[in-house]
């Protein structure tokens, strides 16, 4: 059978809609398309639809009117209801259905047990080979990283990491770009369309190989893997050569963690540099921002570094085993600003131990970042972000909650973001009733909005639409 595939990054559910939007194609889906069509040379039609640019109604229309035979969704907690709607309709239209990504991987068993009438497969972890196996209609048992429901149980095929060179983004189909030219009336971080693209140098996080990783993190990576320097540089060259591109946002969690890898990338770019007008934005840990790394950042034309401050309170950083002090974070920001590099400080509100004092400390830290930006760059930081903690499946916070309320959370796939947060607040802060939860949440929202107002742009997570000031 020749499949005609629709890959969808579903629209966020209406109650979590944010005015901000991202105009970089969903990389996880582009990787699947490239692997199957370019790497394996399989002749198959694949459309990629970004739900930030299409409404749920438009996507439903596509499912009903176009001749798709298979649909794959990369869902998140805040888009799960919309994902289920799309899957329901796809199934009614006789399509093969699958889900993938961190969220689906973490909830694999629950999804397949509870939704096997509309979900045929979940791809756990890397999706390239699993997706290729599905479009080639291979024997289901032979397809790695595939899980499915059979004879009343969830079956998991062999699980493996796929070589990162299978997922190089050195090409994006022109029709994928087309959707980003639509006028959707939302705020873009860079205001102009299609000038900023995402890339990732590595998968996984060194924190997650320790027994203690971030309390709120629900990523499902296995180990830390970097792309070959030459592959990564090839991607950067491709992206920086796209018309109008001015920024590449490197979304790998800790870009500076492997010095040898970094030096090889720098060496390659010395021989064949990126255009001067293309800047890089990276994620890094505060402890890696040292005097000696600054020349490398300059050479790579990095002009923004995002650092997970998480909180301005030492008590909270200790509670979540973050091996950094608020002062370390500020010092890193100062070093960056004083060298002409902007710092994106990212905070999470509602972590264990949060109270009025810690919220004030976090606000003060954010304000210090803003003041440093003015002192050295004479402008606002491009971005300061305060998220409200999300209780992501797979995260230590979620496991704690599921233990606390097993009847409500064990084996469940449909988890409401707002409700899980509020249950977590009840548990973590010993709140007696809904009224106390409401008051606590209101505090987080107020401080969150205050912090988010300090930078030029913000795209915070964990809020309901109506809670975000100006949304
Ligand atoms: S949130 Fe924490 S554990 Fe998760 S990827 Fe980032 S640093 Fe690693």
């Amino acid at each position: 059978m020749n499949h005609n595939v629709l890959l969808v990054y579903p629209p966020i559910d209406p109650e979590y809609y944010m005015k901000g939007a991202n105009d970089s194609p969903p990389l996880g889906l582009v990787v699947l398309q490239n692997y199957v069509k370019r790497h394996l040379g399989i002749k198959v039609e694949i459309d990629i639809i970004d739900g930030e640019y299409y409404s749920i109604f438009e996507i439903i229309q596509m499912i009903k009117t176009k001749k798709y035979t298979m649909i794959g969704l990369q869902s998140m907690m805040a888009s799960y209801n919309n994902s289920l709607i799309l899957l329901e309709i796809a199934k009614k239209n006789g399509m093969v259905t699958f889900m993938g990504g961190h969220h689906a991987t973490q909830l694999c068993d629950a999804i397949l047990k509870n939704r096997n009438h509309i979900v045929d497969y979940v791809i756990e972890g890397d999706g390239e080979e699993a997706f290729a196996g599905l479009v080639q209609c291979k024997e289901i048992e032979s397809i790695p990283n595939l899980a499915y429901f059979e004879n009343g149980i969830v079956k998991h095929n062999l699980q493996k990491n796929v070589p990162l060179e299978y997922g190089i983004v050195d090409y994006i189909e022109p029709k994928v770009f087309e959707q980003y030219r639509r006028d959707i009336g939302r705020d873009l971080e860079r205001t102009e369309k299609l000038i900023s693209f995402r890339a990732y140098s590595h998968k996984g996080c060194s924190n997650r190989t320790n027994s203690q990783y971030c309390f709120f993190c629900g990523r499902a990576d296995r180990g830390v893997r970097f792309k070959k320097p030459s592959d990564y540089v090839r991607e950067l060259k491709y992206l920086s050569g796209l018309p109008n591109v001015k920024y590449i946002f490197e979304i790998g969690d800790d870009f500076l963690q492997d010095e040898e890898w970094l030096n090889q990338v720098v060496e390659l770019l010395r021989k064949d540099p990126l255009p001067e007008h293309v800047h890089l934005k990276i994620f890094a840990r505060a402890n890696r921002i040292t005097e000696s790394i600054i020349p490398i950042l300059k050479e790579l034309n990095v002009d923004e570094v995002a650092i997970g401050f998480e909180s301005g309170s030492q008590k909270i950083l200790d509670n979540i085993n973050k091996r950094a002090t608020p002062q370390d974070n500020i010092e890193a920001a100062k070093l960056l600003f004083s060298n002409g590099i902007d710092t994106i400080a990212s905070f999470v509100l509602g972590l264990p131990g949060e109270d009025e004092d810690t919220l004030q400390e976090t606000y003060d830290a954010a304000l210090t970042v803003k003041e440093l930006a003015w002192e050295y760059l004479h402008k606002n930081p491009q971005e300061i972000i305060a998220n409200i903690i999300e209780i992501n499946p797979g995260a230590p916070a979620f496991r704690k909650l599921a233990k606390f309320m097993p009847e409500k959370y064990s084996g469940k796939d449909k988890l409401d973001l707002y409700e899980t947060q509020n249950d977590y607040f009840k548990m973590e802060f010993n709140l007696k009733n809904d009224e106390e939860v409401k008051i606590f949440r209101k505090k987080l929202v107020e401080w969150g909005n205050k912090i988010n107002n300090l930078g030029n742009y913000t795209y915070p997570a964990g809020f309901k639409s109506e809670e975000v000031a100006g949304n």
Side-chain angles (χ1 to χ4, degrees), residues 205 207-208 213-214 216-217 219 253 285:
C205 159
N207 269 7
R208 295 192 61 95
Y213 55 89
C214 295
F216 45 83
C217 179
R219 288 175 59 147
D253 192 74
R285 308 268 159 81

